Amino acid sequence: MDCRDSIMSRRSIRKFKAGIPVPDKDVRLLLEAAMMAPSAVNSRPWEFIVVTDEKAKEGIMKAHEYSKMLKTAPLAIVVCGKPECQAELDVQFWPQDCAAAIENILLQATALGYGSCWCGCYPVESRVKGLKELFGLKSIPVAVIAIGVADESPKAKGFFDEEAVRYI
């Protein structure tokens, strides 16, 4: 699948085929894609928590009310920001940098044939606090990504809108 196909095929999946794990080699590809994202002054202000444990996924679902798809998704990747990596900058861009890493994971998952769903955490304080406590984090949970074999095929919601473009 080429880049455009991955972009055009990506959907937010909330139903996964239970019992089909994501192999370690594919998890590695997802994480490599994440870490190829651009970041301000190449600060790489992120860390990733790979979650396959059922009790840990239950903890995520308690901390994040919109992550119930983890009941069937075999994999969650928690993307966390590390503002201290950009402490020397006048303006910190770690949320944008983490968002770029998240999108790379979503597109790589699609290219590998998996479904995924981005469940935002930061800046919702209750979600951030719950996940920090669950995993003993110093970093800031930006998102939980559910990944697995899709058990639904939603229609595309994105589209090109000429009205949103200004040519100069």
Side-chain angles (χ1 to χ4, degrees), residues 27-96:
V27 173
R28 170 95 185 201
L29 291 172
L30 295 166
L31 295 170
E32 286 177 354
M35 293 182 203
M36 289 301 293
S39 64
V41 298
N42 196 34
S43 57
R44 302 168 54 86
W46 48 56
E47 68 178 350
F48 306 90
I49 314 298
V50 176
V51 182
T52 57
D53 179 77
E54 293 303 321
K55 287 191 179 202
K57 288 192 297 177
E58 287 173 17
I60 293 171
M61 289 184 281
K62 287 179 184 171
H64 192 312
E65 67 275 22
Y66 296 106
S67 66
K68 302 303 182 207
M69 75 286 294
L70 291 177
K71 289 179 184 174
T72 56
L75 173 65
I77 298 177
V78 182
V79 179
C80 301
K82 297 172 63 179
E84 68 274 11
C85 292
Q86 296 181 348
E88 76 285 352
L89 300 179
D90 291 339
V91 178
Q92 294 189 345
F93 293 97
W94 62 267
Q96 294 92 325

Side-chain angles (χ1 to χ4, degrees), residues 38-164:
S39 64
V41 298
N42 196 34
S43 57
R44 302 168 54 86
W46 48 56
E47 68 178 350
F48 306 90
I49 314 298
V50 176
V51 182
T52 57
D53 179 77
E54 293 303 321
K55 287 191 179 202
K57 288 192 297 177
E58 287 173 17
I60 293 171
M61 289 184 281
K62 287 179 184 171
H64 192 312
E65 67 275 22
Y66 296 106
S67 66
K68 302 303 182 207
M69 75 286 294
L70 291 177
K71 289 179 184 174
T72 56
L75 173 65
I77 298 177
V78 182
V79 179
C80 301
K82 297 172 63 179
E84 68 274 11
C85 292
Q86 296 181 348
E88 76 285 352
L89 300 179
D90 291 339
V91 178
Q92 294 189 345
F93 293 97
W94 62 267
Q96 294 92 325
D97 298 340
C98 288
I102 293 163
E103 184 68 6
N104 279 8
I105 291 171
L106 300 176
L107 294 175
Q108 182 66 73
T110 301
L112 291 169
Y114 298 109
S116 61
C117 190
W118 176 341
C119 304
C121 298
Y122 178 84
V124 179
E125 190 54 41
S126 61
R127 296 175 194 168
V128 169
K129 182 180 179 203
L131 291 170
K132 284 180 91 163
E133 289 174 0
L134 178 65
F135 295 114
L137 298 171
K138 291 183 182 175
S139 57
I140 300 170
V142 175
V144 174
I145 306 169
I147 301 169
V149 176
D151 198 17
E152 64 177 345
S153 299
K155 293 184 180 189
K157 293 183 181 177
F159 60 92
F160 180 76
D161 178 6
E162 187 70 41
E163 297 295 316

